[in-house]
């Protein structure tokens, strides 16, 4: 039976070594499973609070990686067509400072 090994995210490697045990890190090709973490993001974020011995910078990186954002959707009206452009922002309090909106070419109209 194969031994289970630790797998580290890039932010858990400091100067080529594991931040916990200080062993040298070796990069390998692995078969792996992928899960849709967005279905579990609330639980993942809550469980990070129980990791008392992890460095705060690693916990912050993990929270950012999980990527939960709280905010609002704001609508802007396109000047010529009157079409509404929906924008998500985490800083509605700064919206009055917006001078333009950039849309990716892939945005469907």
């Amino acid at each position: 039976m194969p031994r289970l090994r630790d797998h580290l995210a890039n932010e858990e490697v400091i100067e080529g070594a594991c931040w916990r045990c200080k062993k040298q890190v070796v990069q390998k090709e692995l078969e792996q499973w992928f899960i849709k973490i967005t279905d579990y993001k609330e639980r993942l974020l809550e469980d990070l609070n129980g990791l008392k011995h992890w460095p705060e910078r690693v916990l912050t990186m993990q929270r950012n990686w999980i990527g939960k954002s709280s905010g609002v959707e704001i609508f802007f009206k396109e000047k010529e067509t009157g079409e509404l452009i929906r924008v998500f922002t985490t800083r509605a309090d700064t919206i009055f400072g917006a001078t333009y909106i950039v849309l990716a070419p892939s945005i469907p109209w």
Side-chain angles (χ1 to χ4, degrees), residues 8-102:
L8 301 174
N10 288 338
E11 60 266 14
E12 297 172 316
V13 178
I14 300 173
E15 296 180 9
C18 171
W19 67 272
R20 287 177 280 194
C21 68
K22 311 296 185 231
K23 289 184 183 174
Q24 191 66 32
V25 172
V26 177
Q27 189 171 352
K28 296 181 180 183
E29 293 282 331
L30 298 173
E31 288 185 31
Q32 52 188 309
W33 293 53
F34 294 94
I35 60 171
K36 186 177 173 189
I37 69 155
T38 53
D39 289 351
Y40 306 98
K41 69 180 166 188
E42 293 298 330
R43 175 144 181 222
L44 288 167
L45 288 167
E46 287 173 21
D47 288 350
L48 286 174
N49 296 327
L51 301 173
K52 302 298 182 198
H53 301 292
W54 281 36
E56 190 56 40
R57 69 175 194 79
V58 174
L59 293 172
T60 298
M61 285 187 255
Q62 291 297 314
R63 286 184 186 100
N64 291 341
W65 179 77
I66 292 168
K68 178 183 174 185
S69 293
S70 298
V72 296
E73 287 184 344
I74 295 177
F75 295 87
F76 290 90
K77 190 180 288 188
E78 202 279 326
K79 186 176 181 177
E80 293 179 15
T81 66
E83 284 192 66
L84 293 180
I85 302 168
R86 183 177 58 195
V87 176
F88 175 82
T89 181
T90 59
R91 294 292 312 269
D93 60 321
T94 64
I95 205 66
F96 294 108
T99 55
Y100 63 92
I101 299 171
V102 177

